[in-house]
């Protein structure tokens, strides 16, 4: 092996160390502060496309209605089948749309298209069914949308395991990996996120971008919605708070399938950025450098940087995502799935096999039925 190889590997690891320390420092920007109250309280419709059973779904849905907000809030929940188990969790005050009509390959967007006939709010807030939010959620969004030039609001999210150790391992991937990467990307201007955790906009903005019909064949519909809003010359802003994504994976296979889909989507949307994110795994590179002949302190420093970032994120989100001693295993798993996404052309999404095209569109095989 050439003598310079360990030095190159160690340098990559040190770049990753700097990235992790920057993430730990920047995370403070999203430390929760008292909510700014909106000057007006326009009516809000919460959109909840549902599919299948989820732990604590009724509690999560109710949280979106139990808001410290003076204006009217309505919720529309949508499913494609009358026997969907998610219907049992729908709040009594919510409107329910049961419609099997399919519009395009994206089942969630198809559901949203069907649900729009029940929407009458001045503000429309779309969020994934596995999200939990604080009581000032609606007020913060309404206040953010009042700012000049703001077309949409999206929110960062951390992970919380809901089932067993694998769900906590999945949560660690979100909180200790994904979340700080978006924070650094926002601070440097390299990231322009719009995430399914929350997409909020005025009804006229949604109409101006062509409604949900425009995104019916796109895998990354949330990202595409953000791009469409920016095409209007409007901003997509990311204020506090950090909301919570409930992880329900119960096996390594489920975790890998979910994260491969997510990684493959990011790679498809931003190939150069995804390739560049290889430096965000300093512990892995430190270990490789050490095996190749670099000094022992390279992986040690990388481990300290990763632990500092994980601890910082957990302090800001107010909970221990997973035991810190899991972090090395989590990083090795993340790196393996990162590499695997370069070879993925088909992903699983809630029982449907999605075939990914280079333009971001997809075709879908039939969905599986509930057991």
């Amino acid at each position: 092996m050439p003598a310079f190889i360990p030095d190159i590997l160690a340098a990559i690891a040190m770049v990753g160390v700097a990235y992790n320390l920057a993430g730990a420092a920047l995370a403070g920007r999203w430390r929760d502060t008292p909510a700014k109250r909106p000057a007006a309280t326009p009516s809000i419709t919460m959109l909840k496309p549902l599919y299948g059973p989820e732990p604590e779904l009724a509690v999560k849905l109710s949280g979106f209605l139990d808001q410290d907000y003076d204006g009217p809030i309505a919720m529309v929940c949508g499913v494609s089948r009358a026997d969907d188990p998610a219907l049992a969790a729908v709040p009594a005050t919510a409107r329910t749309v049961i419609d099997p009509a399919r519009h395009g390959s994206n089942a969630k967007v198809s559901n949203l298209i069907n649900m729009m006939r029940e929407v009458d709010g001045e503000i429309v807030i779309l969020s994934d069914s596995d999200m939990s939010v604080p009581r000032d959620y609606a007020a913060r969004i309404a206040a953010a949308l009042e700012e000049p030039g703001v077309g949409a609001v999206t929110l960062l999210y951390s992970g919380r395991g809901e089932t067993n150790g694998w769900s906590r391992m999945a949560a660690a991937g979100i909180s200790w990996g994904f979340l700080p990467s978006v924070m650094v990307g926002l601070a440097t201007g390299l990231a322009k996120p719009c995430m399914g955790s929350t997409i909020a906009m005025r009804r006229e903005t949604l109409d101006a971008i062509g409604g949900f019909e425009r995104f019916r064949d796109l895998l990354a519909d949330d990202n595409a919605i953000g791009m469409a809003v920016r095409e209007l010359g409007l901003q997509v802003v990311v204020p506090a708070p950090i909301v919570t994504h409930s992880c329900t994976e119960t096996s390594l296979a489920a975790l890998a399938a979910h994260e491969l889909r997510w990684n493959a989507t990011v790679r498809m949307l931003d190939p150069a950025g995804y390739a560049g994110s290889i430096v965000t795994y300093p512990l892995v590179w430190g270990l490789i450098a050490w095996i190749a002949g670099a000094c022992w302190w390279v992986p040690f420093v990388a481990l300290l940087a990763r632990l500092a970032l994980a601890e910082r994120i957990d302090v800001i989100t107010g909970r221990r995502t997973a035991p810190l001693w899991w972090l090395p295993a989590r990083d090795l798993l993340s790196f393996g799935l990162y590499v695997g996404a370069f070879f993925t052309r088909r992903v699983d999404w809630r029982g449907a096999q999605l075939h990914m095209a280079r333009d971001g569109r997809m075709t879908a095989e039939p969905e599986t039925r509930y057991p």
Side-chain angles (χ1 to χ4, degrees), residues 55 136 204 237 246 252:
D136 59 2
E204 58 263 29
V237 298
S246 295
L252 175 59

Side-chain angles (χ1 to χ4, degrees), residues 163-216:
T163 53
N164 58 14
W166 288 115
S167 69
R168 296 192 73 188
M169 186 69 84
I174 294 172
S175 294
W176 300 345
F178 166 76
L179 176 57
S181 73
V182 180
M183 290 174 170
V184 173
L186 285 167
T188 59
L190 296 176
K192 297 182 182 296
C194 188
M195 297 168 287
S197 56
T198 288
I199 303 175
M201 67 190 90
R202 301 174 189 86
R203 177 62 186 269
E204 58 263 29
T205 303
L206 177 59
D207 292 340
I209 64 175
F212 293 119
E213 289 84 355
R214 177 175 175 179
F215 313 102
R216 61 188 183 180

Side-chain angles (χ1 to χ4, degrees), residues 21 58 77 102 105 112 121 179 184 198 214 222 231 242 248 252 264 317 329 341:
L21 294 178
C77 297
R102 190 63 180 260
S105 300
L112 287 168
L179 176 57
V184 173
T198 288
R214 177 175 175 179
D222 46 5
E231 288 172 1
I242 298 172
T248 58
L252 175 59
T317 57

